[in-house]
Amino acid sequence: MAHAIARLAVLALVLGALLTACFEPDHSLIPPAQPVEVTSGLTAGDIFEVRVFGEEDIGGSFQVQEDGTIDFPLIGRVDVTAKTQGELAALLEEELGQGYLRDPHVTVILTERENLEVSVLGQVQRPGTFPYAEKLTLVQAISTAGGLNELAHARRVKLTRKGPTGAGTYEVSVKAITDGREQDILLQPGDIIFVPLAPI
């Protein structure tokens, strides 16, 4: 008897998983996010992080000022206008290597790009438009908007994205991501996330 009950319990779990899969959207249909290259160069308002290998006190977070410069430790004012992340890293290595550090290794990571944004709308605590950051994911963006509210339909979130053939809207199950059944989705600038009302 106990054996039969156990078999029924397993069958119920399998059926439950299948039903859940049937009612959740296919994330593989979403075109992958296009990598963001700062090919146009840095502009006023951009925020980036500088890491100097083995020198934790020298790096940090910097914002490009209106005149296109930053104030960098040891060096002073540095003009970063129109420089890519790689070009700025090379410039800082060159400047730091002139009497300050021996063979410095610098990494520049863009964390907030002026005029690059994503929108999170619908059933979230603080709907709106937010600055895009490198490697921003869908769940992180929803978290930035305060998270889902009690009326949100977590299994039918809509992601609108521009792809090579134009804009398309795709359904995403945030529940599947937070449960660990699906991977989080990398975003790209211009993405719009809409969280609908859950059915009554």
Side-chain angles (χ1 to χ4, degrees):
M1 180 71 176
H3 188 63
I5 291 172
R7 286 179 64 188
L8 284 171
V10 170
L11 185 60
L13 283 171
V14 171
L15 285 172
L18 286 172
L19 285 170
T20 301
C22 289
F23 288 103
E24 286 187 338
D26 184 355
H27 291 190
S28 68
L29 299 175
I30 302 168
Q34 298 302 305
V36 178
E37 299 277 344
V38 194
T39 51
S40 60
L42 293 162
T43 59
D46 290 347
I47 299 174
F48 55 87
E49 189 177 318
V50 178
R51 297 174 187 169
V52 183
F53 181 74
E55 302 286 344
E56 294 181 7
D57 295 338
I58 296 178
S61 183
F62 299 87
Q63 182 167 27
V64 184
Q65 301 305 304
E66 288 298 322
D67 63 357
T69 67
I70 60 168
D71 191 10
F72 198 82
L74 301 179
I75 301 172
R77 283 283 164 194
V78 178
D79 186 357
V80 303
T81 307
K83 289 182 174 59
T84 65
Q85 294 166 86
E87 289 169 346
L88 177 55
L91 174 64
L92 293 175
E93 285 177 350
E94 181 183 344
E95 294 287 339
L96 288 170
Q98 294 182 4
Y100 300 108
L101 299 175
R102 185 176 179 180
D103 194 23
H105 293 279
V106 177
T107 303
V108 176
I109 302 166
L110 183 72
T111 55
E112 193 172 307
R113 178 75 166 162
E114 189 72 0
N115 300 324
L116 292 186
E117 299 170 323
V118 297
S119 297
V120 186
L121 309 172
Q123 303 307 310
V124 291
Q125 302 292 346
R126 296 189 302 274
T129 300
F130 305 93
Y132 170 82
E134 203 165 26
K135 296 184 179 176
L136 179 70
T137 68
L138 184 134
V139 170
Q140 288 170 348
I142 289 173
S143 178
T144 301
L148 303 175
N149 65 28
E150 65 277 4
L151 302 176
H153 193 355
R155 286 191 169 94
R156 286 288 182 269
V157 173
K158 298 189 187 315
L159 171 64
T160 300
R161 166 171 293 173
K162 286 183 181 176
T165 57
T169 299
Y170 310 89
E171 286 197 332
V172 178
S173 173
V174 173
K175 181 91 169 64
I177 295 171
T178 55
D179 285 353
R181 288 180 282 111
E182 290 279 1
Q183 286 193 331
D184 205 351
I185 296 167
L186 279 174
L187 298 182
Q188 67 183 37
D191 278 352
I192 301 170
I193 300 162
F194 178 76
V195 182
L197 276 165
I200 298 171

